[in-house]
Amino acid sequence: VKNIPCPKPTNQLRAHRALVIYGNEDAFTSASKLRNWADEISRESRGRFEAHEIDGASHFWRENGVEAQAQDTLREWIRRLP
């Protein structure tokens, strides 16, 4: 069986243009941990990585209006792609 190397996801996020959208009311991971994680990758990505925090969004995005905010964020990010 041939072993196919797979880069770590954080290395892929540093190497390629990427957008991460997360909510600050996630019950599984604190917003401060997500912010710190995103800040670290952002510093090392040379502008290819962007993170956006949605106020009031939980892990499953069931809150009123948060899915639309995420969609708007994604549309804006795509619009700015080169």
Side-chain angles (χ1 to χ4, degrees):
V1 176
K2 187 175 184 177
N3 186 13
I4 300 172
C6 181
K8 292 181 180 182
T10 53
N11 290 341
Q12 292 178 1
L13 290 172
R14 288 179 185 103
H16 304 283
R17 292 193 62 85
L19 170 67
V20 170
I21 304 171
Y22 63 90
N24 63 1
E25 295 293 329
D26 193 311
F28 298 102
T29 305
S30 71
S32 63
K33 283 186 180 182
L34 290 169
R35 281 184 214 115
N36 290 337
W37 172 80
D39 288 345
E40 179 184 332
I41 294 173
S42 183
R43 283 190 304 273
E44 298 170 355
S45 73
R46 298 181 185 175
R48 291 182 292 263
F49 176 85
E50 185 177 330
H52 186 84
E53 182 176 309
I54 303 291
D55 188 41
S58 69
H59 189 80
F60 296 105
W61 297 82
R62 293 182 180 154
E63 297 75 24
N64 189 31
V66 298
E67 185 177 351
Q69 290 179 58
Q71 291 171 346
D72 291 344
T73 299
L74 180 58
R75 281 187 197 99
E76 176 62 24
W77 182 77
I78 290 170
R79 188 187 64 74
R80 291 185 280 115
L81 289 175

